[in-house]
């Protein structure tokens, strides 16, 4: 499995429930959760470190036990999105995860995530609460399936943390590259091109946005665990 992990040291305009004013600590917390979730998978990780100081070399060394490469950039959010697709373009790995830095994972869900990606082709780990309140942008009648003893549903759109099979990525590469970091039309066009987006119920991870934590999981307990 290849993970392209986009790290940025600039605080988000979408406030985090913890460490909003300390992006380094938030990045450390989220990275610990990622490592805990994917420990059994042992992926190869390419870190794209955007506007990050060299102190991140030591941070990642101390937290990440997986084989990894560091790429320091000042490309901005769209530039790193495009760079992540370029990095993954020639991979031999069958599964690819495009990971943003402000996500907290539940422990030990990594292997389930990998199998779900292989099964569905395109999977987000994040069950967005907007799915259930924003009928203007989301289909309120999704497909629901059970795979590997876990419920999954289709999603109309989501954030830009997601996993794909290598086959699906190659099929959708031009669409992904066209839209970069923009997280609306890309999902509609990939669906029209043969890959629906699926998400787990309950969520495998949450975006660290205070007003948009994924439902049904006591995330605050995990925040304290990963501190």
């Amino acid at each position: 499995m290849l993970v392209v992990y986009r790290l940025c040291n600039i605080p988000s305009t979408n406030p985090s429930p913890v460490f909003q004013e300390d992006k380094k600590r938030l990045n450390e917390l989220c990275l610990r959760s990622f490592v805990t979730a994917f420990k059994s998978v042992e992926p190869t990780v390419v870190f794209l470190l955007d506007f990050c100081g060299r102190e991140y070399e030591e941070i990642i060394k101390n937290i990440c036990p997986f084989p990894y490469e560091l790429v320091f950039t000042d490309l901005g959010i769209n530039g790193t999105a495009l760079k992540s697709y370029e990095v993954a373009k020639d991979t031999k790995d069958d599964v690819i995860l495009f990971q943003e830095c402000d996500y907290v994972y539940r422990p030990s869900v990594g292997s389930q995530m990998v199998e779900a990606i292989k099964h569905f082709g395109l999977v987000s780990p994040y069950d967005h609460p907007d799915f259930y309140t924003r009928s203007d942008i989301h289909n309120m009648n999704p497909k629901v399936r059970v795979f590997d003893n876990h419920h999954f549903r289709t999603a109309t759109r989501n954030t830009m943390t997601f996993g794909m099979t290598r086959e699906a990525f190659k099929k959708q590469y031009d669409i992904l590259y066209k839209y970069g970091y923009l997280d609306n039309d890309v999902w509609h066009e990939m669906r029209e091109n043969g890959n629906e987006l699926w998400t787990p119920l309950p969520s495998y991870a949450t975006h660290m946005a205070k007003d948009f934590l994924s439902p049904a999981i006591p995330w605050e307990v995990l925040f304290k665990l990963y501190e």
Side-chain angles (χ1 to χ4, degrees), residues 95-224:
V95 173
I96 306 162
L97 174 63
F98 296 102
Q99 180 66 50
E100 296 166 299
C101 60
D102 54 348
Y103 283 75
V104 163
Y105 277 87
R106 292 164 50 202
S108 304
V109 297
S111 59
Q112 292 173 278
M113 178 78 178
V114 170
E115 293 306 313
I117 294 167
K118 291 178 181 177
H119 180 76
F120 291 110
L122 176 58
V123 176
S124 165
Y126 176 40
D127 181 35
H128 200 309
D130 272 4
F131 294 170
Y132 309 98
T133 60
R134 294 286 307 275
S135 60
D136 56 325
I137 58 173
H138 294 288
N139 181 357
M140 294 289 124
N141 296 291
K143 300 175 187 176
V144 178
R145 301 286 185 270
V146 174
F147 171 72
D148 199 20
N149 203 35
H150 199 95
H151 285 93
F152 290 83
R153 56 158 290 163
T154 52
T156 306
R157 52 176 285 182
N158 211 337
T159 60
M160 297 305 288
T161 287
F162 59 96
M164 306 182 80
T165 59
R166 183 177 61 200
E167 178 183 6
F169 174 62
K170 288 183 176 180
K171 179 180 180 180
Q172 305 291 0
Y173 180 86
D174 290 341
I175 294 172
L176 287 163
Y177 205 84
K178 177 170 69 171
Y179 290 107
Y181 81 106
L182 299 175
D183 61 358
N184 181 28
D185 291 343
V186 64
W187 301 109
H188 300 295
E189 198 162 328
M190 285 198 292
R191 182 169 58 252
E192 292 168 2
N193 198 37
N195 285 110
E196 287 189 294
L197 177 64
W198 291 82
T199 65
L201 301 172
S203 195
Y204 286 159
T206 190
H207 186 203
M208 290 296 279
K210 182 174 63 175
D211 296 326
F212 299 101
L213 298 179
S214 185
I217 301 294
W219 296 108
E220 293 79 7
V221 175
L222 293 182
F223 300 161
K224 293 177 181 177

Side-chain angles (χ1 to χ4, degrees), residues 6-18:
R6 292 194 287 142
L7 263 166
C8 180
N9 199 49
I10 300 173
S12 174
T13 55
N14 207 343
S16 169
V18 295

Side-chain angles (χ1 to χ4, degrees), residues 32-122:
R32 288 190 194 99
S33 82
F34 167 79
V35 166
T36 301
F38 287 89
K39 187 173 293 186
S40 65
V41 178
E42 297 185 345
T44 298
V45 186
V46 177
F47 289 99
L48 301 182
L49 298 123
D50 205 43
F51 297 104
C52 293
R54 289 288 167 174
E55 69 271 16
Y56 274 87
E57 294 182 6
E58 193 67 19
I59 289 170
I60 292 170
K61 178 181 176 182
N62 290 336
I63 296 175
C64 183
F66 311 134
Y68 65 81
E69 176 186 352
L70 304 180
V71 180
F72 285 86
T73 77
D74 56 1
L75 296 171
I77 187 171
N78 192 61
T80 56
L82 298 178
K83 180 69 173 178
S84 69
Y85 304 141
E86 293 169 2
V87 166
K89 189 173 184 180
D90 296 321
T91 185
K92 304 300 182 184
D93 290 274
D94 292 331
V95 173
I96 306 162
L97 174 63
F98 296 102
Q99 180 66 50
E100 296 166 299
C101 60
D102 54 348
Y103 283 75
V104 163
Y105 277 87
R106 292 164 50 202
S108 304
V109 297
S111 59
Q112 292 173 278
M113 178 78 178
V114 170
E115 293 306 313
I117 294 167
K118 291 178 181 177
H119 180 76
F120 291 110
L122 176 58

